[in-house]
Amino acid sequence: MSFAVEEMPHEGSTSENSEEPAAIPTFSDTTPPYQDDPTYGLQWTSDEDPFSPIPHWTIEPTVGSVVLALKKAVSPDKEYTVDHCWDGVYNKIYSVLYDQKRFIMRVSLPVCPQLKTESEVATLQWIYDNTNLPVPRVQCYDSSRSNPIGFEWILMDRMEGVPLSQCWHSVTQDCKVRIVKQVAAYAAVAFERQFRAHRGIIARMLNLINRLQTLGDKFFPAPNFNPEQHLNREDDISSDEDEAAASGIEKPHESTMLWNDNISLDNILVDEQGVLRGIIDWECVSCLPLYEACQFPAFLQQARDRLAEPPTPYRVNRTQHVTNQSLREYEIELRQHHVSMLRKEFFVEMKDRCPQWVRVFRYQADLRDYEAAVQNCDNEFAYEMVERWATSVEEGSAFDEGHGRLHELLMD
């Protein structure tokens, strides 16, 4: 059983023996355009929604240029077969075959030049070195654009299997529990091996935010604006840290941990027996404060738990016709129930492996609510709930929206 990209249509293939010319993007012989413009080749369009621009390629990489890049990076003496598989939002995916081994190459738009590629490579290496979670092994990469493709790329092992989202109903609950425990083991290691973020940097960022807020009043003055009456917003952070930096004293730090917010059913690959074969898509993984990172992985997140198994439609409607709608509702409720049971298994596993994670999860939920409020205060579908939450906090009363936390209810 192979990864789903094999089933998707592709746009041609090539090998080093094919007659297709090794076409590459047309760049200047002296100074490539991207040296003056790091985002050269990327265009943002917002025809449908001006607030949600969509990236587009203005230069199309070719399979011939991919072969040339492989010859340069791996070996000029090997025979390479390259197939264009599919296009993601920011990437083009290619299947690569050489030495009777299959790999995946991802060519990326310059959304965050260099840093995005190097961050993902470092993340995958950290996961490989510190956990038993099966993730793609990076074979080689180029975080520059000085290569035949003209874009950044990563070559990694091909993870066999199918997404759990495509076989959820055929995989047993026991297999799902085993996967949950494997993800919990990774979460425990991530918690135990925390990173450090200097508060001095955070203080400077907060100070910059306040300065920009002040400047905003000058760029967009209110009617009858009087600069002399303008309030001077002082940074709440003490200047002690600046003095410490000047004296060489070590700054205090904020503990952070690696957090992948996209361990979803689409990115969990399993084999025919439901055994975990790999977890893919480690782009844009961040190190977040513990209160934000100590939460359920994406495939276990839901607004409310359903602890009781829903009755099957034929028990409810013995004398009535079972409609497709009732079957769909039953399937949704049954999945919610299964996820609720898996959430309990995840929590029990974390209690055994990392009790500190559980304490952060329980006692810093208010901070997760505040973060969710900030992220959704301009969401037209959620701001009323955020308003009610803010009112309850201001009044010192309990927020009661069906016995759920704000950050969980906003998942619904």
Side-chain angles (χ1 to χ4, degrees), residues 258-275:
L258 201 66
W259 167 247
N260 185 349
D261 64 351
N262 199 24
I263 301 183
S264 64
L265 295 179
D266 290 332
N267 291 328
I268 298 175
L269 305 183
V270 298
D271 62 15
E272 292 177 332
Q273 286 73 43
V275 175

Side-chain angles (χ1 to χ4, degrees), residues 330-374:
Y330 169 73
E331 289 178 353
I332 292 173
E333 293 174 355
L334 183 61
R335 174 172 291 201
Q336 290 174 342
H337 169 67
H338 287 164
V339 170
S340 299
M341 297 298 99
L342 294 175
R343 283 160 62 93
K344 292 180 62 177
E345 294 286 351
F346 182 88
F347 201 75
V348 170
E349 191 72 12
M350 293 307 299
K351 286 178 65 177
D352 291 339
R353 290 180 174 272
C354 190
Q356 300 94 329
W357 185 98
V358 175
R359 284 196 288 271
V360 173
F361 176 88
R362 282 177 169 170
Y363 300 120
Q364 296 193 13
D366 289 341
L367 294 177
R368 290 197 296 277
D369 282 348
Y370 176 77
E371 178 68 23
V374 171

Side-chain angles (χ1 to χ4, degrees), residues 14-145:
T14 189
S15 69
E16 67 170 354
N17 295 325
S18 74
E19 298 180 357
E20 181 190 1
I24 60 176
T26 302
F27 297 119
S28 167
D29 293 336
T30 55
T31 304
Y34 54 78
Q35 288 194 2
D36 295 327
D37 179 11
T39 61
Y40 181 78
L42 167 64
Q43 180 180 5
W44 295 94
T45 61
S46 53
D47 297 336
E48 298 180 359
D49 184 355
F51 299 103
S52 300
I54 301 174
H56 290 282
W57 299 75
T58 61
I59 298 175
E60 287 291 328
T62 67
V63 288
S65 66
V66 171
V67 171
L68 289 179
L70 291 168
K71 284 180 171 294
K72 180 180 178 181
V74 180
S75 171
D77 302 324
K78 298 182 184 296
E79 181 178 348
Y80 303 92
T81 300
V82 176
D83 293 288
H84 174 218
C85 297
W86 58 283
D87 294 338
V89 178
Y90 301 108
N91 310 294
K92 291 182 180 292
I93 309 299
Y94 298 85
S95 174
V96 175
L97 174 66
Y98 67 88
D99 289 346
Q100 298 181 337
K101 296 180 181 179
R102 300 175 70 104
F103 304 91
I104 290 293
M105 176 182 277
R106 199 180 66 236
V107 179
S108 300
L109 278 170
V111 175
C112 182
Q114 188 174 358
L115 295 178
K116 178 173 172 292
T117 296
E118 293 185 357
S119 175
E120 180 176 2
V121 170
T123 297
L124 286 170
Q125 187 63 46
W126 190 93
I127 298 296
Y128 185 86
D129 291 340
N130 292 278
T131 77
N132 293 321
L133 205 63
V135 296
R137 187 77 188 271
V138 174
Q139 296 296 318
C140 54
Y141 71 97
D142 192 340
S143 60
S144 74
R145 302 184 63 175

